[in-house]
Amino acid sequence: MNEDQRSLLLSSSSRFPPPQGVRLLYGTAGFRADAALLGSTVYRVGILAALRSLKMEGSVIGVMLTASHNRVSDNGVKIADPSGGMLSQSWEPFADALANAPTSQHLLQLITEFVEKENIPLEGVRRPEILLGRDTRPSGESLLEAAKQGISSILGAVAIDKGIVTTPQLHWMVRARNQGKKSSELDYFEQLSSSFRCLIDLIPSGSKISEVDERLVVDGANGVGGEKLEVLREMLDGMVVEIRNSGKDGGVLNEGVGADYVQKEKFAPHSFGSQDVGLRCASLDGDADRLVYFSVPSKSCNKIDLVDGDKILSLFAIFIKEQLNTFSEEGGENMSSTYHARLGVVQTAYANGASTDYLKKLGLEVVFTPTGVKYLHEKAAEYDIGIYFEANGHGTILFSESFLCWLEARCGEFSSVSKGSEQQKAALRLLAVSKLINQAVGDALSGLLLVEAILQHMGWSIQRWSELYKDLPSRQLKVKVVDRTAVITANAETMVVRPPGIQEAINAEAAKYPQGRCFIRPSGTEDVIRVYAEASTQEAADSLANSVARLVDQFLGFGSSSK
Ligand code: 16G
Ligand code: MG
């Protein structure tokens, strides 16, 4: 590292001293904390992003300022790699070390060692480029400044501010830019709206939905998703969408609103209620990378019928499978080449057991990974079509390059020999899905449009969709413990290997209840252990969750060390 670079780093970092007595971790999806603590972390992430760009031969890297569904006083920062996916896990320890370096000297030493170890061409010819995005949090603006300072403390690095965007928009832009494709926000909206239109135009003529089902009401969590959906709505003629909680009417981000609230509490969000009985409703989270649907079944209470990520996954899987089946039906063998597309479904331990049974009965290959998009995404990318969803509503569908090439070729072939055939329509639909659904990360806006297109295609109401299977009752709890890192899990978080003895105790509890299933895991975003239980009745699920929470407290709680 040359002298100019050293002194630049030393002088700029002295303006962003780290907070005292706080240890910040990159966690499941980036750093998250009270916004007041994050200035130095965001500045340092700016440095890391510039180094990552240099390491990746000048590819564009993304930095997103958001704390998703957390309260408005929090904020966070995460990094998008050149593919648009999450930062490579191999760099996470460096991110942790960087965030926690106590002084500018320590910081400089860490960077120098890392640059050497990773062979990062600091004085090369490349100009690292970083796309910056932020959600609607008031702290976003000053943290943006910190990120810019971090980026410009690597000589030659350039920050490009994309303003207020959803998390998936930023990931999409990074991916598109690195692929040499059009990558502006308008391009994003145009791609979504034109592929949606294509799916609608290909709806079989017999499919009809009733008038009441034409209307969709969306809860924008008082975050960035609502305002972006308003723009998108202008480009979608014929879609009736009402947007509430768009943040304009004084509502607070994520307070009693949003996908996380709706999914965990199973209550209608603020400004939804008895006037909405029977309507199809959807809820986004604060940065619009999660989507759940719901309906209000009766006027008498605020309880909802939740249609979660598992059911979105099931809807997508049915539709994709229907299209793939068309290729093997009569006439399909006339194609010049066949392609046995591998379709896979990826879930986590939080997936409702009823959804997994349902998907397996459809004949689908279902695999499990630990919680966190980076794990699900990586697994889904192993298939020609990999559909992944967390129950909380984060998910997407990934298409392999080779399958897309095959589809493109088939479309060309069909248009000369069997124009208008079912096979051609199926190929066109799958291509449209691959353009509509975000290939970089789960995206509530593109997911919403795909759900809407498929429901119209099937002629289904939300009630018909919800009845695909009946969720097993479940309960989630969290328990404060002395040290959550003492819990080590295995088998996609379905069993605990440490501390010894606790898994046997959990098994013994679960065995007491019909269809009882329970697991615990350390949260990656909060300092707690999470407990998930499901069983054949709500009372049983509650009771199982409570007894396992007590076990967690006995083994790991504040009284545990003296026992
Ligand atoms: C983050 C993850 C989400 C996961 C959640 C779990 C990403 C982009 N987001 O929000 O996938 O479900 O954390 O939180 O990876 P927890 O570890 O606190 O339960
Ligand atoms: Mg989110």
Side-chain angles (χ1 to χ4, degrees), residues 392-406:
N392 62 27
H394 189 116
T396 193
I397 311 175
L398 301 182
F399 289 81
S400 74
E401 274 309 314
S402 55
F403 182 56
L404 288 178
C405 286
W406 183 82

Side-chain angles (χ1 to χ4, degrees), residues 365-381:
E365 184 174 330
V366 186
V367 289
F368 287 84
T369 71
T371 301
V373 173
K374 55 195 173 196
Y375 304 114
L376 288 116
H377 192 97
E378 189 175 60
K379 194 74 204 167

Side-chain angles (χ1 to χ4, degrees), residues 199-209 322 420 422 425 429 456-459:
L199 283 172
I200 298 295
D201 290 345
L202 286 162
I203 287 177
S205 46
S207 282
K208 266 250 161 313
I209 55 167
E322 184 186 293
E422 282 313 307
K425 285 184 193 156
R429 283 188 196 113
Q456 283 196 42
H457 176 100
M458 303 287 195

Side-chain angles (χ1 to χ4, degrees), residues 28-29 32 68-69 78 86 167 264 289-290 350 371-374 376 390 392 394 441 521-526 528 530:
T28 315
R32 269 184 218 179
S68 184
H69 52 279
K78 57 183 161 188
M86 312 297 276
T167 296
K264 296 234 168 68
D289 66 350
R290 289 191 193 177
Y350 285 109
T371 301
V373 173
K374 55 195 173 196
L376 288 116
E390 293 187 306
N392 62 27
H394 189 116
V441 76
R521 53 176 283 276
S523 159
T525 64
E526 265 185 87
V528 293
R530 295 205 193 279

Side-chain angles (χ1 to χ4, degrees), residues 312-314 316-318 320-321 324 339-347 359 364-367 369 373 375-390 394-404 407 430 433-434 437-442 450:
I312 298 178
L313 186 158
S314 302
F316 288 177
I318 295 169
I320 300 277
K321 201 160 179 288
L324 288 177
Y339 190 109
H340 294 287
R342 278 192 72 213
L343 172 60
V345 168
V346 189
Q347 296 191 305
L359 292 162
L364 292 163
E365 184 174 330
V366 186
V367 289
T369 71
V373 173
Y375 304 114
L376 288 116
H377 192 97
E378 189 175 60
K379 194 74 204 167
E382 290 174 12
Y383 294 88
D384 289 307
I385 307 179
I387 314 177
Y388 73 84
F389 259 90
E390 293 187 306
H394 189 116
T396 193
I397 311 175
L398 301 182
F399 289 81
S400 74
E401 274 309 314
S402 55
F403 182 56
L404 288 178
L407 280 177
L430 289 173
V433 172
S434 77
I437 198 89
N438 198 319
Q439 295 297 289
V441 76
L450 184 55

Side-chain angles (χ1 to χ4, degrees), residues 260-536:
D260 195 59
Y261 173 83
V262 168
Q263 191 244 346
K264 296 234 168 68
E265 305 298 327
K266 301 200 178 81
F267 275 122
H270 176 74
S271 79
F272 284 73
S274 52
Q275 75 276 21
D276 303 312
V277 169
L279 287 182
R280 185 169 73 256
C281 304
S283 191
L284 320 176
D285 77 336
D287 63 338
D289 66 350
R290 289 191 193 177
L291 170 71
V292 295
Y293 273 73
F294 66 94
S295 62
V296 182
S298 84
K299 280 192 192 307
S300 54
C301 72
N302 254 8
K303 277 264 167 208
I304 53 159
D305 180 21
L306 175 71
V307 181
D308 65 0
D310 301 337
K311 264 193 189 140
I312 298 178
L313 186 158
S314 302
L315 183 73
F316 288 177
I318 295 169
F319 180 75
I320 300 277
K321 201 160 179 288
E322 184 186 293
Q323 308 316 309
L324 288 177
N325 286 347
T326 314
F327 297 132
S328 48
E329 278 163 12
E330 209 186 329
E333 67 273 13
N334 292 339
M335 285 188 293
S336 60
S337 66
T338 48
Y339 190 109
H340 294 287
R342 278 192 72 213
L343 172 60
V345 168
V346 189
Q347 296 191 305
T348 73
Y350 285 109
N352 195 281
S355 78
T356 311
D357 279 353
Y358 176 78
L359 292 162
K360 285 188 176 161
K361 282 196 189 118
L362 286 180
L364 292 163
E365 184 174 330
V366 186
V367 289
F368 287 84
T369 71
T371 301
V373 173
K374 55 195 173 196
Y375 304 114
L376 288 116
H377 192 97
E378 189 175 60
K379 194 74 204 167
E382 290 174 12
Y383 294 88
D384 289 307
I385 307 179
I387 314 177
Y388 73 84
F389 259 90
E390 293 187 306
N392 62 27
H394 189 116
T396 193
I397 311 175
L398 301 182
F399 289 81
S400 74
E401 274 309 314
S402 55
F403 182 56
L404 288 178
C405 286
W406 183 82
L407 280 177
E408 299 270 6
R410 292 297 74 74
C411 281
E413 186 178 316
F414 290 135
S415 58
S416 53
V417 296
S418 56
K419 205 169 173 145
S421 69
E422 282 313 307
Q423 280 90 4
Q424 186 197 21
K425 285 184 193 156
L428 287 169
R429 283 188 196 113
L430 289 173
L431 279 174
V433 172
S434 77
K435 297 198 174 85
L436 172 55
I437 198 89
N438 198 319
Q439 295 297 289
V441 76
D443 180 340
L445 298 183
S446 70
L448 180 139
L449 291 189
L450 184 55
V451 167
E452 293 300 307
I454 297 178
L455 290 179
Q456 283 196 42
H457 176 100
M458 303 287 195
W460 283 1
S461 64
I462 187 167
Q463 289 76 18
R464 169 68 184 81
W465 173 22
S466 178
E467 282 160 10
L468 281 179
Y469 58 84
K470 195 168 165 5
D471 275 324
L472 278 169
S474 65
R475 175 66 59 205
Q476 292 195 46
L477 296 174
K478 47 187 178 182
V479 187
K480 278 243 170 231
V481 295
V482 178
D483 173 15
R484 76 187 200 276
T485 63
V487 173
I488 310 287
T489 62
N491 291 356
E493 301 178 324
T494 52
M495 61 177 291
V496 183
V497 289
R498 232 179 276 153
I502 194 166
Q503 186 59 50
E504 290 71 15
I506 295 173
N507 292 346
E509 281 306 318
K512 292 180 187 162
Y513 302 91
Q515 294 180 282
R517 180 172 76 92
C518 187
F519 66 91
I520 65 166
R521 53 176 283 276
S523 159
T525 64
E526 265 185 87
D527 192 13
V528 293
I529 295 292
R530 295 205 193 279
V531 176
Y532 175 90
E534 66 184 31
S536 57

